Amino acid sequence: MRLVLLGPPGAGKGTQADRLAARYGVPHISTGELFRAHRREGTPLGKEADRYMATGRLVPDDVTERMVSERIDREDARQGFILDGFPRTMRQAEEFADILTVRGLRLDRVVALEVPEPVLKERLTGRSACPSCGAVYHRRFHPPRRAGVCDACGTLLVERADDRPETVTERLRVYAAETAPLVAYYRSRGLLLEVDGTGEVDAVTAAMVAGIEGRHD
Ligand code: AP5
């Protein structure tokens, strides 16, 4: 199963990618998370990426494409992957098509999660995440059992620096300018599945799975 999840910041890509990865037994590959891991480790790539992420801009295409092609060449991705946050520009989409072609692979579906802007802003401003295991929470929609502490591993939760209101506004602008055109690109290739991302997490997962597996309830 090779899937791409498309959608604006806060649409629920990471939340849903985890669930789909568990269902299909393939890794969840998030370019944002790969950059954050580099940043935590203080690598040159992490330092370069931080210059862009901190202000809500996109990391340059060539750096991102190289990182993704190395990641999908790893053993655990041989049977597939759920890509979250890549491709994000038209150039990345075209480069990704080449990356797949030279490996003799094909994409099964591109799922676009649709969520209106006021809901996105509410989701992002209430989000916290576990720096250790990556679990994602929300103050109102998905609170941890103990405030500020990860249910899964007991680590103190952190808020993402790029979830500040002014950076969220820039991320939404960049999405509209650079990434939204990919919806039409993948629709024209017959790969697009559009899913309403505003319902409860379980309901959104069910709608995605039904679309991916060709069921209509
Ligand atoms: P990235 O980490 O990919 O961030 P993003 O795309 O902005 O998406 P988010 O992680 O903010 O949101 P999400 O859709 O995953 O939502 P989530 O599930 O967390 O990228 C960060 C940065 O890295 C970029 O700005 C850029 O600088 C760089 N970058 C990454 N990829 C790049 C690329 N390809 N090229 C260049 N640069 C790149 O959910 C959000 C909140 O809502 C959570 O609190 C969650 O609990 C809650 N929630 C989720 N679903 C629901 C629901 N159904 N109902 C109620 N609450 C919900």
Side-chain angles (χ1 to χ4, degrees):
M1 180 61 79
R2 292 183 184 84
L3 295 177
V4 164
L5 301 195
L6 208 57
K13 301 181 298 295
T15 300
Q16 298 298 335
D18 271 344
R19 291 164 158 243
L20 296 176
R23 180 178 179 92
Y24 297 119
V26 294
H28 166 193
I29 300 177
S30 154
T31 41
E33 197 44 50
L34 289 173
F35 287 133
R36 282 186 286 279
H38 275 281
R39 197 171 55 187
R40 282 195 294 276
E41 289 156 20
T43 67
L45 171 56
K47 285 179 187 148
E48 185 183 357
D50 188 48
R51 299 207 328 258
Y52 299 91
M53 295 169 81
T55 51
R57 289 172 300 149
L58 296 181
V59 180
D61 287 335
D62 54 342
V63 176
T64 309
E65 289 154 7
R66 214 167 35 244
M67 183 178 75
V68 169
S69 57
E70 282 169 16
R71 179 63 189 87
I72 67 172
D73 282 340
R74 286 208 219 139
E75 186 63 29
D76 68 339
R78 284 179 82 104
Q79 300 307 317
F81 46 75
I82 313 290
L83 255 181
D84 153 15
F86 181 90
R88 225 165 166 119
T89 63
M90 203 57 95
R91 191 196 117 160
Q92 287 180 15
E94 282 163 0
E95 179 64 23
F96 184 47
D98 290 346
I99 290 172
L100 293 175
T101 303
V102 295
R103 288 163 178 75
L105 304 175
R106 92 188 151 75
L107 209 50
D108 292 295
R109 280 294 210 169
V110 174
V111 186
L113 283 174
E114 297 166 334
V115 178
E117 194 165 310
V119 179
L120 297 172
K121 288 187 168 167
E122 193 181 10
R123 286 186 184 178
L124 291 172
T125 49
R127 171 167 62 182
S128 57
C130 177
S132 176
C133 72
V136 176
Y137 298 90
H138 190 280
R139 202 184 301 138
R140 199 170 133 216
F141 305 126
H142 178 38
R145 284 192 294 272
R146 267 183 64 203
V149 179
C150 180
D151 291 348
C153 69
T155 305
L156 286 182
L157 301 177
V158 293
E159 289 177 10
R160 269 171 52 177
D162 62 349
D163 281 348
R164 285 191 211 100
E166 62 278 16
T167 318
V168 165
T169 301
E170 176 62 6
R171 286 162 64 201
L172 291 169
R173 189 195 66 73
V174 169
Y175 177 82
E178 303 279 348
T179 312
L182 299 191
V183 171
Y185 172 87
Y186 284 117
R187 186 184 292 120
S188 73
R189 280 157 183 74
L191 285 169
L192 191 73
L193 171 68
E194 290 170 279
V195 173
D196 177 1
T198 54
E200 296 279 330
V201 173
D202 285 346
V204 176
T205 310
M208 293 172 91
V209 167
I212 292 163
E213 296 176 7
R215 289 186 281 111
H216 300 284
D217 299 328

